[in-house]
């Protein structure tokens, strides 16, 4: 259960090596020791995350999970819920890809779509079913401002996030009567492994800053938040710019 | 029907199927059909946290069990169904010159809830808690049978596990309560203002035995030399002779109007440092020291009952009550807690300090000889950390938390605070081995 001040008893991370998600887990495990399930492909990075949490005294388990293997999702979720209910489930997997290759190479484009959109939809449906039965819980979907107004510079990625974002907003409406909250988080440029080598955009943030936003959003049962918060204003302006002006903005 | 439920503090809402049965057979059927996510009984929803909600499961709305079946005036006994509110009970008893000896800070709680939380009032140092006045109770247990339990003899272990057991041993259906005679419905109240916490603690410790009711409010926003300044209020039931002629014509009158109901449109954050200080200043100033004032039930016992749904004043983010008790020897914990809260930046306006008398035999009953302190704090960043810090202070001193108000501590804290927890757990396991009775609180605190 999530208590009155926002402490969960059990966390699930889908995309368990995501830096943002792990920053969220660290926030939640700093004072209390909730049960943590990290769902990700087996890798040294996953092992390191498990080892780090275990060393901090957190009861942690790893579950094999591949975003593109949608047929395997139900079994992975069954394993994730095997030890009891989940209070906060983070949908944190995603790939950025090479933006220029992505719109010219069908394989690259489809991979982005499969991971960021199809995979996210598949686990969203699976999580919804399980949290509905629980009558409580929060799904945190890590979306992106890139999906809010899709730009020429990374429009394949942006389009997958736009779809994912729309799906989770809708899922939130559907789950609301069942006591389940869906929190869509729209970070701007986050300086992580995923964006290594890219030039940080204005209002860039760190994984820790996004984690802070996530923790407060879960406590307040918010349905849509930006990280950092001022992006909300910036994006609401950008959203309404005429295309002719928008395309002239610096990439 | 799926219903979103939360406690009075409006935190952590979850969704459950609410059923409102009218008879025991229907209740037993619901039990039988709800084994998967369990069942919990709910009264008027005045517990602050999550003991009367059950995410994904069934919640039994008990308010239709609202009959007062019999009053034996000469023996001072009343036989009631569990959904009867203490408000209804007071209204029925007063014209007969009778009074329930234990009333908590609101009359809007049911008899079943009062037993499950073993509630206490301002008179605990004299009369004990609610469970001390229950002569027998009927409990529907997980196997569908109804047992009549008494404080002594066969079934007494289950009786005392039910008192303070947060509804997890079964559903209280009916109870026989001891009530006491009164001449009037008024109190003769002595009010004393104390300039700081030590003054307040000293005054409250002195001659408490002269008063049937005793409680302090303290200012949790004042710091420095005014830290913990407060107002001590103590009273005895007024006898006929105590009343002015005008009131003597109808000495048992009871008129408790609901003046207004707070609309559900207020934002979070209305109670902030500025408004909290202003309220505290006002509250302190309006209560100068005066003796022998005659006050009615609402004025003295239940000032908040005149405002409907006052919890809405805290906005959608809600608030928590932090209430703990520590032994008399650990009075320093009170000082440290007040200092910590006053300097925390978190603002509490409705703060209560009280001395408990002897506790009872219930393993999970909250009151034990010592001090109890209660603050209510709006939920905002950093509150969890402040409370975790206070937990350590309280538990290290042999103190404990009040489950009827609890909404954020840990399973471990309950085990430390209640040394007889294992004993209670064993009785619960013996009557409900599959855990049919379950609540969000029972899952959260592993009760």
């Amino acid at each position: 259960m999530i208590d009155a001040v926002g402490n969960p008893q059990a966390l699930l991370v889908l995309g368990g090596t995501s830096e943002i998600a792990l920053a969220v887990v660290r926030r939640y495990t700093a004072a209390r020791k909730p049960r943590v399930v990290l769902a990700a492909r087996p890798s040294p990075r996953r092992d390191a995350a498990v080892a780090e949490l275990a060393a901090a005294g957190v009861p942690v388990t790893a579950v094999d999970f591949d975003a593109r293997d949608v047929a395997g999702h139900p079994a992975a979720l069954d394993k994730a819920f095997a030890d009891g209910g989940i209070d906060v489930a983070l949908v944190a997997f995603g790939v950025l890809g090479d933006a220029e290759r992505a719109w010219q190479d069908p394989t690259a484009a489809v991979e982005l779509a499969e991971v960021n959109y199809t995979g996210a939809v598949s686990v969203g449906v699976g999580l919804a079913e399980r949290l509905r039965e629980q009558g409580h819980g929060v799904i945190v979907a890590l979306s992106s401002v890139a999906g809010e107004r899709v730009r020429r510079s990374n429009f394949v990625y942006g389009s997958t996030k736009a779809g994912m974002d729309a799906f989770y907003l809708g899922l939130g409406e559907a789950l609301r009567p069942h006591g389940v909250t869906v929190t869509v988080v729209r970070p701007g440029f986050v300086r992580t492994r995923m964006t290594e080598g890219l030039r940080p955009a204005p209002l860039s943030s760190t994984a820790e800053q996004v984690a802070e936003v996530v923790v407060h959003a879960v406590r307040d049962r918010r349905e849509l938040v930006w990280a950092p918060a001022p992006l909300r204003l910036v994006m609401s302006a950008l959203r309404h710019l005429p295309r002719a002006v928008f395309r002239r903005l610096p990439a | 029907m799926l219903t979103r439920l939360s406690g009075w503090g409006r935190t952590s809402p979850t969704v459950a199927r609410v059923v409102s049965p009218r008879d025991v057979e229907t209740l037993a059927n619901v039990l039988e059909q709800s084994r998967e996510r369990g069942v919990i009984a709910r009264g008027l929803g005045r517990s602050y946290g999550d003991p009367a909600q059950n995410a994904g499961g069934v919640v039994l709305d008990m308010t239709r069990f609202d009959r007062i079946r019999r009053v034996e005036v000469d023996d001072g006994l009343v036989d009631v169904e569990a959904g009867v509110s203490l408000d209804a009970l007071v209204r029925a008893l007063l014209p007969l010159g009778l009074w329930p000896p234990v009333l908590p800070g609101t009359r809007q709680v049911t008899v079943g809830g009062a037993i499950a939380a073993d509630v206490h009032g301002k008179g605990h140092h004299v009369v004990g808690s609610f469970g001390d006045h229950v002569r027998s109770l009927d409990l529907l247990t997980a196997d569908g049978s109804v047992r009549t339990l008494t404080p002594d003899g066969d079934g007494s272990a289950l009786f005392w596990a039910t008192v303070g057991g947060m509804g997890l041993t079964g559903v209280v259906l009916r109870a026989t309560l001891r009530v006491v005679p009164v001449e009037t419905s008024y109190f003769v109240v002595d009010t004393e203002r104390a300039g700081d916490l030590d003054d307040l603690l000293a005054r409250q410790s002195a001659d408490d035995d002269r008063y049937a009711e005793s409680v302090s409010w303290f200012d949790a926003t004042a710091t420095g030399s005014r830290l913990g300044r407060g107002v001590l209020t103590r009273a005895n039931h007024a006898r006929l002779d105590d009343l002015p002629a005008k009131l003597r014509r109808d000495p048992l009158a009871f008129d408790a109007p609901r003046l207004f109901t707070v609309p559900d449109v207020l934002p979070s954050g209305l109670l902030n440092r500025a408004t909290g200080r202003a309220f505290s200043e006002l509250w302190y100033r309006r209560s100068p020291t005066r003796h022998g004032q005659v006050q009615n039930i609402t004025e003295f016992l239940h000032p908040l009952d005149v405002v409907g749904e006052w919890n809405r004043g805290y906005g959608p983010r809600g608030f928590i009550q932090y209430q703990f008790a520590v032994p008399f020897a650990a009075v320093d914990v009170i000082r440290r807690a007040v200092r910590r809260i006053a300097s925390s930046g978190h603002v509490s306006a409705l703060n209560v300090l009280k001395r408990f008398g002897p506790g009872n035999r219930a393993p999970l009953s909250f009151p034990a000889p010592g001090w109890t302190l209660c603050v209510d704090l709006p939920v905002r960043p950093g509150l969890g950390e402040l409370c975790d810090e206070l937990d350590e202070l309280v538990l290290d001193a042999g103190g404990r938390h009040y489950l009827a108000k609890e909404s954020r501590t840990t399973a471990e804290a309950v085990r430390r605070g209640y040394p007889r927890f294992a004993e209670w757990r064993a009785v619960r396991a013996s009557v409900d081995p599959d855990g049919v009775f379950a609540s969000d609180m029972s899952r959260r605190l592993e009760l």
Side-chain angles (χ1 to χ4, degrees):
Chain A
M1 307 305 306
I2 300 181
D3 75 12
V5 293
N7 294 310
Q9 268 178 310
L11 299 169
L12 164 63
V13 182
L14 293 149
T17 59
S18 143
E19 281 170 75
I20 294 174
L22 287 175
V24 173
V25 170
R26 277 186 209 106
R27 282 283 316 239
Y28 278 128
T29 53
R32 300 277 178 96
K33 301 291 170 243
R35 196 161 52 80
V36 176
V37 182
L38 296 180
R41 280 177 301 191
S43 71
R45 255 208 302 276
R46 191 184 79 177
D47 297 342
V50 168
E52 180 204 318
L53 290 170
V58 177
V60 57
T61 49
V63 167
D64 290 351
F65 168 76
D66 182 345
R68 291 178 80 180
D69 175 23
V70 290
H73 285 183
L77 286 176
D78 282 346
K79 280 200 194 106
F81 281 77
D83 292 332
I86 294 290
D87 302 324
V88 178
L90 291 132
V91 180
F93 54 83
V95 284
L96 189 58
D98 178 320
E100 286 309 300
R101 200 182 132 218
W103 70 272
Q104 299 174 84
D105 173 355
T107 316
V110 167
E111 182 185 346
L112 276 185
E114 280 182 357
V115 175
N116 295 354
Y117 181 71
T118 310
V121 167
S122 166
V123 297
V125 172
L127 285 172
E129 183 194 348
R130 286 163 177 86
L131 296 195
R132 244 173 89 162
E133 280 166 18
Q134 286 181 187
H136 76 102
V138 181
I139 299 172
V140 177
L142 290 180
S143 175
S144 169
V145 294
E148 210 177 339
R149 174 117 196 213
V150 178
R151 294 180 303 156
R152 159 68 184 83
S153 61
N154 65 353
F155 68 92
V156 180
Y157 174 80
S159 72
T160 63
K161 283 296 184 184
M164 184 255 197
D165 190 293
F167 170 78
Y168 278 96
L169 284 179
L171 191 65
E173 294 304 319
L175 287 175
R176 184 199 262 274
H178 300 275
V180 179
T181 305
V182 177
T183 300
V184 172
V185 183
R186 292 180 181 162
F189 189 98
V190 187
R191 292 187 294 275
T192 61
R193 203 170 55 231
M194 187 162 122
T195 58
E196 222 170 83
L198 298 179
R199 198 161 48 88
L203 288 176
S204 71
S205 56
T206 62
E208 287 69 32
Q209 287 165 331
V210 180
E212 173 99 12
V213 170
V214 169
V215 167
H216 289 176
V218 168
R219 187 202 56 211
D220 297 344
R221 303 187 290 276
R222 298 277 301 273
E223 291 163 342
L224 179 58
V225 288
W226 283 256
L231 269 180
R232 177 187 180 173
L233 289 172
V234 174
M235 291 312 295
S236 69
L238 287 184
R239 222 171 18 223
H240 300 294
L241 276 187
R243 307 189 63 79
V245 179
F246 186 69
R247 76 167 60 101
R248 286 189 171 80
L249 292 181
Chain B
M1 196 180 74
L2 287 181
T3 308
R4 186 179 157 100
L5 295 172
S6 71
W8 190 243
R10 310 180 92 204
T11 52
S12 310
T14 60
V15 163
R17 190 162 65 86
V18 175
V19 293
S20 306
R22 280 196 133 117
D23 57 84
V24 180
E25 292 71 45
T26 318
L27 255 179
N29 280 339
V30 173
L31 270 193
E32 189 50 45
Q33 289 157 20
S34 329
R35 304 191 84 85
E36 183 126 351
R37 287 285 292 183
V39 183
I40 197 74
R42 181 179 176 100
L44 292 166
R46 252 56 172 196
S47 279
Y48 285 83
D50 51 1
Q53 56 198 65
N54 180 21
V58 171
V59 170
L60 302 168
D61 166 15
M62 292 299 289
T63 55
R64 284 176 156 187
F65 285 78
D66 60 354
R67 277 195 304 160
I68 297 174
R69 302 173 70 110
R70 207 178 51 208
V71 184
E72 292 176 28
V73 179
D74 294 339
D75 296 336
L77 291 175
V78 51
D79 174 2
V80 295
E81 290 182 341
V84 169
S85 73
L86 297 190
D87 184 66
L89 191 60
V90 167
R91 287 171 198 277
L93 291 177
L94 264 182
L96 305 171
L98 294 172
W99 180 253
V102 176
L103 284 180
T106 172
R107 291 184 306 275
Q108 303 303 328
V109 298
T110 61
V111 167
I115 293 171
D118 194 23
V119 300
H120 59 270
K122 298 171 173 64
H124 186 272
H125 60 296
V126 179
V127 295
S129 53
F130 201 87
D132 293 318
H133 305 277
V134 178
R135 283 298 157 86
S136 79
L137 62 86
D138 285 3
L139 187 73
L140 173 67
T141 46
D143 59 9
S145 67
V146 176
R147 308 183 197 197
T148 299
L149 307 168
T150 54
D152 299 292
D154 280 357
S156 66
L158 184 53
F159 176 94
W160 290 109
T162 301
V163 169
M166 302 313 285
L168 296 167
T169 56
V171 183
V172 177
L173 300 172
R174 183 174 163 179
T176 304
L177 312 172
R178 195 178 72 86
V179 291
V180 295
V182 284
E183 287 183 20
T184 79
S185 61
Y186 295 87
F187 292 86
V188 180
V189 183
D190 288 349
T191 307
E192 295 170 56
R193 200 149 74 176
D196 63 35
L197 186 61
D198 283 333
D199 185 15
L200 187 64
L201 293 171
R203 282 173 191 270
Q204 198 160 359
S205 304
D207 54 46
D208 241 7
D209 48 336
R210 292 200 291 118
Y211 298 94
E213 314 271 339
S214 165
V215 72
S216 284
W217 167 86
F218 67 92
D219 182 344
T221 63
T223 50
S225 65
R226 300 191 305 177
L227 181 84
R229 65 177 179 169
V231 179
L232 169 61
T233 325
R234 296 188 286 189
N236 285 304
H237 256 287
R239 308 185 73 90
L240 204 51
D241 304 343
D242 298 324
L243 297 188
K246 202 178 121 210
L247 296 179
R248 234 177 270 180
R249 267 175 264 146
D250 188 8
L252 293 164
F254 179 47
D255 181 26
R258 175 144 296 182
L259 297 182
F260 73 100
T261 294
V262 178
D264 194 8
V265 295
L266 299 175
S268 295
L270 279 185
L271 180 65
N272 52 44
R273 226 161 154 63
T275 59
R277 273 172 196 271
F279 172 86
S280 302
E281 187 69 37
L282 209 69
W283 200 261
Y284 184 73
R285 297 213 170 271
R286 74 177 266 276
S287 314
T289 296
R290 60 194 156 183
H291 290 271
Q293 201 191 18
V294 173
Q295 291 187 349
N296 69 30
I297 295 169
T298 301
E299 282 174 293
F300 175 62
L301 285 180
H302 304 123
L304 280 172
D305 274 2
V306 301
V307 183
E309 315 285 342
W310 61 263
N311 57 339
R312 289 175 177 170
Y314 287 91
R317 218 185 256 166
F319 68 107
I320 68 160
Q321 287 242 338
Y322 190 87
Q323 180 164 10
F324 67 86
V326 286
F328 285 122
V331 63
D332 199 46
V333 171
I334 299 292
R335 290 196 189 89
R336 291 168 68 186
V338 171
R339 205 176 304 131
R340 186 69 195 87
I341 294 162
S343 67
S344 69
H346 295 271
V347 179
S348 172
L350 305 168
N351 317 301
V352 175
L353 197 55
K354 151 131 204 87
R355 288 161 63 87
F356 280 145
N360 62 26
R361 288 150 64 192
L364 290 194
S365 175
F366 171 62
W371 291 94
T372 180
L373 179 148
C374 182
V375 286
D376 57 347
L377 298 156
V379 173
R380 55 188 206 87
L383 181 59
E385 287 81 351
L386 171 67
C387 293
D388 286 348
E389 220 179 288
L390 295 173
D391 281 4
E392 283 310 307
L393 209 59
V394 168
L395 296 170
D396 286 349
R400 54 169 60 152
H401 298 91
Y402 186 19
L403 294 179
K405 303 209 172 160
E406 210 294 304
S407 60
R408 38 103 351 237
T409 195
T410 60
E412 191 216 347
V414 176
R415 280 148 185 77
R416 276 178 75 189
Y418 290 89
R420 292 169 63 203
F421 180 82
E423 180 190 332
W424 176 81
R425 196 73 183 73
V427 178
R428 164 155 148 76
S430 72
V431 286
D432 184 11
D434 303 326
V436 173
F437 292 101
S439 62
D440 288 358
M441 173 174 270
S442 79
R443 288 192 190 92
R444 182 170 60 83
L445 297 177
E446 298 161 31
L447 298 181

